[in-house]
Amino acid sequence: MRFGGYRGEQSFASIGTPLAQLDPLLLRLVPAISGSLIPVLVFLLLTQLGASTWAAFLGGWAALFDNALLVQTRVLALEGPLILCILAALILALAATRQPHPARQALLCLGAGICVGFAVGTKFTGLTSALLVAVILLAPLGRQAGPRLGDVARLCAWVALGAATTYLGGWALHFSLLDRPGPGDIWGVPGGKLVQDIVNIHLTMLQANYGLGATHPNGSPWWAWPWMWRPIYYYASPGSAIYLLGNPVVWWGTSLGMLCVLWNSVRGALGQAPAGGLPTRQAMARLLPLLGFLVSYLPYLVIPRVMFLYHYLPSLVFAICAVALWLEQRGWARPGRFADQPRALRWLIILIPVGFLLVGPLSYGLSLPEEFLGWLARLVHR
């Protein structure tokens, strides 16, 4: 926005204020770029985790044709950059563990740390990336012929350096650009000591967000998100509307798939998994998306403030990856061409765009019968 010439003239006092003082493209450019890259990074993450080409394609295909990811990255929202940075951090950390050259390994870890810093700077839930990167780097210590503790500590230090520099640098930029009094002073008036200002504003933000008591007609509980309960109303005009509503094939399919993944993991933990278990490295790779799902989803169980369907989007991406790997493990993906794949996989690849097209009019604000829009509004607000 700064590079585009914006100097604070536009008011954001209330929802629905017309954007008359700036081009909306300035606001939506970063989320849109993030949304375009998320399917690619899902594919790359799955390949880094050892998935076959078709399993990785299935994951990227599901992310590409999810309506909720589309809508949330076409508006001024933070989920797109958040998910992008989390995925990039994991990809770089996994690549670092496979890199024999020390200098390149350090560079990859520095890049992973930078992505962690951006993720946490976007939303505090970006701390998911820090935990998962730590798991990726520390897990090999438990294997025979694994890396030495000193080598792992060196890699973690590079990650920490990248994360701290990016995160604190963002706050330095924040205070240098926003140096005039205004309504943002409710979060704290800068006193000149950068470090103390950052500490104070963090305490204020945490208390304010955790203690929000307001309700909202589009709010929804955490347990309803996997089943897409109560989509969010974003825009309406005569005969059209935009709702944050996911692709039913992707959301309901991954929700059912995650139940199978969780059951399979419990069986494995109880020692009842089928014979011929996965090697340690491969097992860690298969469990990483499941861990990402749990870490990004379970904290919402104890948050009392009103929450919305979009809070589930990072968990959805991890669920897509976990289910794609599980389906491959069950024999759904094979080497070869599309025609060589099992019928179930071919049908799934076809059904995902079909689900996208069914919800598409509510994602793009296309004309719809008034009766349908009225029925949807009653369903959402009940």
Side-chain angles (χ1 to χ4, degrees):
M1 291 171 62
R2 180 81 176 185
F3 292 149
Y6 178 61
R7 295 297 182 270
E9 304 88 352
Q10 174 67 49
S11 171
F12 294 93
S14 61
I15 294 176
T17 303
L19 298 180
Q21 301 297 323
L22 79 164
D23 186 349
L25 177 63
L26 297 176
L27 296 169
R28 297 173 178 168
L29 184 61
V30 173
I33 292 173
S34 302
S36 301
L37 293 176
I38 284 172
V40 179
L41 293 193
V42 169
F43 177 89
L44 293 176
L45 176 61
L46 284 168
T47 16
Q48 283 286 341
L49 291 172
S52 66
T53 301
W54 279 106
F57 175 81
L58 177 63
W61 189 251
L64 175 64
F65 284 105
D66 181 62
N67 302 75
L69 285 172
L70 168 76
V71 171
Q72 197 69 1
T73 55
R74 294 183 77 235
V75 299
L76 175 57
L78 298 175
E79 278 67 32
L82 172 68
I83 295 170
L84 179 79
C85 293
I86 291 175
L87 293 175
L90 301 186
I91 291 169
L92 291 171
L94 287 167
T97 62
R98 294 172 171 81
Q99 176 57 248
H101 194 279
R104 294 176 184 172
Q105 197 176 43
L107 189 61
L108 288 168
C109 285
L110 181 65
I114 290 172
C115 292
V116 168
F118 275 121
V120 180
T122 303
K123 276 192 171 186
F124 284 153
T125 50
L127 287 167
T128 299
S129 61
L131 176 62
L132 295 178
V133 167
V135 169
I136 291 171
L137 296 180
L138 296 175
L141 286 174
R143 297 200 307 261
Q144 291 183 348
R148 295 176 297 179
L149 180 60
D151 295 331
V152 174
R154 174 178 56 85
L155 298 181
C156 291
W158 281 111
V159 173
L161 175 64
T165 302
T166 304
Y167 188 73
L168 296 178
W171 280 105
L173 184 63
H174 168 84
F175 287 122
S176 67
L177 291 176
L178 304 178
D179 58 349
R180 299 181 183 180
D185 288 349
I186 61 171
W187 301 104
V189 179
K193 289 180 181 184
L194 187 56
V195 175
Q196 188 60 46
D197 290 337
I198 294 176
V199 172
N200 291 338
I201 204 169
H202 276 71
L203 293 174
T204 305
M205 286 191 301
L206 285 170
Q207 292 169 359
N209 278 279
Y210 190 82
L212 281 176
T215 59
H216 195 280
N218 292 152
S220 54
W222 59 268
W223 50 263
W225 298 339
W227 314 108
M228 233 166 23
W229 175 252
R230 197 167 293 169
I232 308 172
Y233 155 70
Y234 277 175
Y235 167 83
S237 65
S240 66
I242 295 178
Y243 279 85
L244 183 74
L245 185 65
N247 183 332
V249 178
V250 175
W251 283 61
W252 296 340
T254 55
S255 297
L256 293 173
M258 282 305 298
L259 294 177
C260 298
V261 171
L262 289 168
W263 171 243
N264 192 59
S265 300
V266 170
R267 288 182 62 199
L270 295 176
Q272 297 175 0
L278 297 171
T280 305
R281 187 186 188 97
Q282 189 178 2
M284 190 278 291
R286 303 280 178 174
L287 289 174
L288 187 68
L290 174 59
L291 179 62
F293 175 84
L294 296 175
V295 169
S296 60
Y297 186 49
L298 293 181
Y300 289 110
L301 275 66
V302 296
I303 296 178
R305 55 158 287 186
V306 63
M307 294 178 291
F308 300 92
L309 196 62
Y310 58 71
H311 286 115
Y312 183 68
L313 289 176
S315 305
L316 173 72
V317 172
F318 282 118
I320 288 173
C321 294
V323 172
L325 289 168
W326 180 77
L327 290 176
E328 181 190 22
Q329 188 182 4
R330 305 293 297 178
W332 280 48
R334 301 171 183 168
R337 304 167 301 169
F338 178 74
D340 299 324
Q341 302 309 306
R343 183 178 299 176
L345 180 66
R346 285 182 284 160
W347 272 110
L348 186 55
I349 290 175
I350 293 170
L351 286 174
I352 286 173
V354 172
F356 175 84
L357 293 174
L358 289 174
V359 181
L362 292 172
S363 303
Y364 289 100
L366 304 181
S367 296
L368 290 168
E370 290 284 354
E371 295 79 7
F372 175 77
L373 291 176
W375 171 82
L376 182 63
R378 290 191 298 271
L379 177 66
V380 169
H381 296 297
R382 69 179 182 180

